[in-house]
Amino acid sequence: YLFCLNYQKLVRPTRDQSAAARIAARQMLDLLPACFTADGRPESMSDGEWAKSRTILETLARDTLGRTGR
């Protein structure tokens, strides 16, 4: 998450930074289904908030992949 977030702030990322961001984004997309289950939702969050949180993270990962050229 942090790598993808910080990658978005780079003006001219290097190839190595882009490659690392691509890996981080793919790993995040792979992990989200396992993390965002009904059983994993904190009691303090509504179903809508839980779904919105997942959408925010998926969007960040996809935006990162888009910026890295996939």
Side-chain angles (χ1 to χ4, degrees):
Y1 166 77
L2 288 176
F3 204 104
C4 291
L5 188 65
N6 288 322
Y7 179 77
Q8 298 298 323
K9 298 175 186 178
L10 296 174
V11 177
R12 290 190 188 124
T14 66
R15 285 186 180 170
D16 288 343
Q17 289 169 325
S18 292
R22 202 169 21 257
I23 291 167
R26 286 183 182 143
Q27 288 177 345
M28 191 161 68
L29 286 172
D30 288 345
L31 287 171
L32 287 175
C35 295
F36 280 85
T37 63
D39 293 338
R41 181 181 59 81
E43 290 181 20
S44 61
M45 292 183 88
S46 69
D47 288 338
E49 291 170 325
W50 189 236
K52 184 178 178 180
S53 296
R54 180 177 174 166
T55 300
I56 290 168
L57 293 174
E58 286 176 340
T59 300
L60 174 62
R62 292 183 198 290
D63 287 350
T64 300
L65 286 173
R67 185 162 184 234
T68 65
R70 295 191 183 237

